[in-house]
Each structure stands twice: as C-alpha cells, then as structure tokens.
Amino acid sequence: MSAAGTQPADIDPAENRRRWQALGVGLVAAFMTLLDVSIVNVAVPSLDRALHASPSDLQWVLSGYALTFGLVLVPAGRFGDARGRRNAFVFGIGLFTLTSAFAGLAPSPTWLVIARLLQGAAAGIVNPQVTGVIQEMFRGPERARPFGLLGATIGISTAVGPLLGGLLIALGGQDHGWRYVFFVNVPVGIIAMILGWRLLPSRVKGHGDQHRLDPVGVVLLGVGVLLVLLPLVQEQQWRTPWKWTLIPVGLLVLLAFALWERRYARQRQPLFDLKLFRFRSYTLGALIALIYFGGFTAIFFIFTLFLQNGHGYSALIAGLAITPFALGSAAASALGGRIVNRLGRPLVAGGLLAVVLGLAGTALALRLFPNAPVPWVTAAPLLLAGLGSGLVIAPNQTLTLSEVPVPQAGSGAGMLQTGQRIGAAAGIAAVGSVFFAALASSRGDWTSAFEHALVVATIIIALALVAAVVDIILGRHDS
C-alpha cells in the first residue's frame, strides 16, 4: 500500500506527500551522519600511512566523533523544539558538510581530529530533528512505519559503513581513498540542505515560544556525559587507573543535572522532562537501547580488526563480510516497523534472541571451520543476527517514543540517542579491552581473541534481552 493510501482522513494527499518527502530528506541525513560512525574504521590503515598518525590520534579520529555526537544530542533536540526543526536541521547539515570537506582535506592528524570533533557535533544537531519531525508530522499508530524506516536507516548505516568505506578506498587507492570517505558527504549534504529548507516544518505550532534553552541544564548534561565518556574513549591512551574516577564524578554531575531539571520544571519547560521516565515504555526502551548499542556497535569494531589485521583481508573484503548482517537488518527493519504495533515488546525480545543466537553461531562456525574463508563461514550466522537486529532497533524506537508528547519529541529522542552513544562508547571500550588482552595473552592468536570478545558482546546483548523480558512481564501484570 502506498504512503498516500495510509494517511488519516483529515490529511489531504498534497500534505501527505509533503510529510513523506520531509521524512525522506531526514532519513538521508540520518543515514549520512550515522554512516560516519562506522565507515572510518576500514580507512584507519590508509590514513595512518598517509598522515603518520599516532595511536592516540587514531583513537580520537574514531571515538571523538561519537563523543561530540553524544554531547550535542539533547541540547540540539531542545533547540529544535524551541526554535524550529528546519532551522536546526539545515544548520546541522551545513556544518556537517563543511567539516566533512575539512576532514577530507586534512594535511595532519591534528587537523583531522578537530574536523572529526566538529563533524560529530554537527551529526548530533541533525539527528534529534529527524525523530522530532516524525513525532510532529505523524500521529499515534501511523508513526510505526516512519520509525521502522528510521530504524532500518540506523541499522543499515552502521552495518554498511565498512562496505562503503572499502569500496571508496578501492576506488581512490590506498594513499587517497580515505579522503573519499569524507568527500562523499559533500554533494549529499548540499542537496539535503536545499530540500530540508523546502520541506521540513519550521517549528511546532503553539509550542516553540514556550521553550527556553536552559543553559545551566545544557552545561551540567554536557559535563556529565563528557566525564563518563572520556575514560572510555581514552581507555588505551590513559594508562593510569585514576581515569576511572571520572565516571563516578560524571554520574554525580548527571545527578545534579537531574535535580536541577526537577527544580527548573517547576517554573519553565526543562531541557529534558524527567516525567518521561514515568512512562515504562520510555524508561525500559531507553535502557534496552543503551545496552544493545554497547554490544551491537562493538561487533563491527572487532570484526573489522579481525579480518584486516588478523587475516590480511582488504578493506573491501572486510566490508563485504558484514553485508549479510546489513541485508538482514534492512529486510527485518522494514517488516518490524509494520508489525510492532500488533506485537509490541515481544517482537523486540524475539529480535534480541535472534541476535544472541546469530553471534553464538558465528563463534561456533569459526571454531568448527578454522581453515575456511572467514566471510563464507560467518555469512549465515551474521544474516540471522542482522535479521534480529532489524527487529530490535526500529520497533524499540517506536515503542520507546510512542508516549512522548510532541513538545518534548526532540529532547526525548535526543536523550534516547545519547544513551545509544554512551552505550556504544562503553561497549567498544569493554569489548575492545577483552579483544586486545586476549590477543596479547595468546601471543597473536586473532581467532581466539575475536571469540573471547564476541562472547562479551553477546553477553551484553543478552542483558538487553533480560530488560525486554522484564518489560513484557510488567506489561502483562499491568493489564
């Protein structure tokens, strides 16, 4: 059935076309910004040789993007709520396009790191506007389909990043191919800016003037998230154990943020409305997202290292090896968005179970066929894991935001994605530490190291499954 045939009776066909076109622009922008979370992984060996980057530089190129991405999400969502999603979207895409060009032109590691930090901040500005537009332009159960498409976009962009990166490096060569990874964003970004200005709503009618930007809340949230993430993204560079004291300090700052927001809400609209956590769907959904992204994102990090450094596969082959996961995620996300309103949280639980079984099957396949080509051996279990992932990301996002009021759509979605970025950073740090420790203790046994790290990632995702089961039990108890 076409999009035009599914609109509510009070929306005329022209307006319905416009909102789906606006969604399309938002999905393109979300794909582009989320793609840069993973696409750079396969480019690291090339830019290392070209720029003579230190290990610390490389770590910041990869993790600095996620760091500033997570810092900006909630304030940017609030800005969109207050000043209009179109303004925030176009500004964010413009900054992302400009910083992508700067990254591609980088003559030194320092230049590239600064460009990546700014690029991550720009991505953090854009993404809450996309979910905010869905909340504003679609109503009730009809949000399932656009959230399903957004979930597919998130899953595909994360999974297909290494493949696209490998293709661009093969096209541009080992010396300059890594620059293509950044330059590819420029023409897409320019088009997205033009279409975004034409199609996106300027602001939520009757709500924008009620919001203020709450600078104290912005600072407390930013400092708290920064303190929590820094020791995780710098885990390999900062050898002192004192780095971990930053995490409890960061949690205390986040507690201060919560207390401030509670006080601020008595007089004005807060940066993040803590009342959203009264909705079980939002609380447990955000927890599932945080935990799942901890295991989900880390898988591609260790798998790319395992393929390229451990087995000598090219960047292109390494990207192709992840394609079964990407295809499964894309197919299941489209389905999940259509059936989530009928099945609810059990659909998410089923998806998480499929991911756990797929990852366990990947480890078993490597153990049973140690001499076979890795991409062929892992294709089937990764396809199963991808199918499961598609039933997790999109449906969970739909369920998590289903009860969020439109005026809090941007900040609510921003907090949800902040949790995803924190989960991803923590997961990469934890799984990566296990991977490198196992590699050192086994004296270079890449298969053993990958298996150990994969077990940790699987356990993390199993914890998300536990949270989904708890939500199902509580839901049945309430009914």
Side-chain angles (χ1 to χ4, degrees):
M1 182 179 292
S2 66
T6 61
Q7 81 269 21
D10 59 340
I11 296 181
D12 63 67
E15 177 62 24
N16 192 53
R17 284 195 299 272
R18 180 183 177 86
R19 63 181 190 159
W20 283 97
Q21 289 168 350
L23 175 64
V25 174
L27 293 180
V28 170
F31 180 86
M32 181 173 62
T33 55
L34 292 167
L35 185 72
D36 271 51
V37 174
S38 61
I39 193 173
V40 180
N41 283 333
V42 296
V44 165
S46 298
L47 64 88
D48 184 17
R49 286 190 297 269
L51 300 180
H52 306 289
S54 68
S56 179
D57 293 328
L58 297 177
Q59 178 71 8
W60 271 104
V61 167
L62 293 173
S63 59
Y65 182 89
L67 178 63
T68 52
F69 197 145
L71 286 174
V72 171
L73 279 166
V74 173
R78 176 55 178 273
F79 182 85
D81 291 336
R83 299 292 184 264
R85 311 200 198 285
R86 182 177 67 186
N87 296 336
F89 179 89
V90 172
F91 173 77
I93 287 294
L95 181 60
F96 187 85
T97 302
L98 186 62
T99 52
S100 294
F102 283 166
L105 294 170
S108 67
T110 301
W111 178 306
L112 182 58
V113 168
I114 294 172
R116 284 287 284 174
L117 290 171
L118 292 173
Q119 191 186 33
I125 293 172
V126 171
N127 277 270
Q129 316 315 324
V130 179
T131 49
V133 164
I134 293 175
Q135 295 287 88
E136 179 179 347
M137 301 187 76
F138 297 86
R139 306 174 190 173
E142 68 167 344
R143 290 176 180 169
R145 185 176 180 188
F147 272 130
L149 294 173
L150 178 60
T153 301
I154 295 172
I156 296 171
S157 62
T158 304
V160 83
L163 173 59
L164 182 56
L167 288 170
L168 291 170
I169 291 171
L171 179 64
Q174 289 295 319
D175 294 331
H176 299 289
W178 67 271
R179 298 185 186 274
Y180 287 27
V181 167
F182 300 109
F183 286 146
V184 72
N185 294 325
V186 175
V188 179
I190 292 173
I191 295 172
M193 284 178 62
I194 296 171
L195 294 178
W197 183 259
R198 290 184 56 192
L199 296 172
L200 266 63
S202 58
R203 67 172 59 193
V204 182
K205 296 180 180 179
H207 294 290
D209 294 335
Q210 300 175 10
H211 293 273
R212 298 189 181 184
L213 293 182
D214 185 11
V216 175
V218 169
V219 171
L220 288 174
L221 179 62
V223 172
V225 172
L226 180 63
L227 291 174
V228 170
L229 288 182
L230 265 180
L232 298 174
V233 299
Q234 286 292 97
E235 197 272 337
Q236 293 295 315
Q237 281 67 48
W238 294 352
R239 298 297 182 182
T240 173
W242 289 101
K243 65 190 174 187
W244 300 115
T245 61
L246 292 178
I247 292 181
V249 173
L251 293 176
L252 288 175
V253 176
L254 291 176
L255 176 61
F257 164 75
L259 295 174
W260 167 262
E261 292 299 284
R262 183 178 178 181
R263 177 183 176 185
Y264 191 85
R266 296 172 184 170
Q267 298 177 338
R268 299 169 183 166
Q269 185 67 36
L271 175 68
F272 176 75
D273 193 346
L274 297 176
K275 293 179 181 178
L276 290 179
F277 286 120
R278 295 179 180 177
F279 299 119
R280 190 185 71 248
S281 60
Y282 188 86
T283 302
L284 287 176
L287 179 63
I288 291 170
L290 184 149
I291 298 173
Y292 180 68
F293 271 75
F296 164 70
T297 310
I299 294 167
F300 303 108
F301 171 63
I302 60 174
F303 195 45
T304 300
L305 290 174
F306 171 61
L307 290 169
Q308 291 192 71
N309 295 348
H311 285 269
Y313 289 106
S314 68
L316 178 58
I317 297 300
L320 285 170
I322 300 174
T323 301
F325 188 103
L327 294 176
S329 179
S333 293
L335 174 64
R338 292 177 179 272
I339 63 177
V340 61
N341 287 324
R342 186 164 71 249
L343 298 181
R345 193 68 74 187
L347 178 65
V348 176
L352 288 166
L353 179 60
V355 175
V356 169
L357 293 176
L359 296 183
T362 300
L364 180 62
L366 291 172
R367 181 65 61 89
L368 294 176
F369 306 100
N371 298 319
V374 174
W376 289 108
V377 168
T378 59
L382 283 179
L383 176 63
L384 174 61
L387 289 168
S389 184
L391 297 179
V392 173
I393 297 176
N396 185 64
Q397 181 136 327
T398 301
L399 296 170
T400 303
L401 298 177
S402 61
E403 297 179 297
V404 175
V406 170
Q408 286 81 46
S411 57
M415 187 64 80
L416 175 62
Q417 290 197 40
T418 298
Q420 293 174 354
R421 300 280 76 79
I422 292 174
I428 288 174
V431 176
S433 295
V434 171
F435 181 81
F436 290 117
L439 188 64
S441 63
S442 64
R443 298 181 180 180
D445 187 341
W446 287 88
T447 300
S448 176
F450 178 67
E451 289 176 350
H452 279 81
L454 194 60
V455 168
V456 174
T458 304
I459 291 173
I460 293 173
I461 294 174
L463 293 176
L465 175 59
V466 171
V469 171
V470 169
D471 191 21
I472 294 171
I473 295 173
L474 292 177
R476 290 177 177 174
H477 181 267
D478 292 343
S479 60

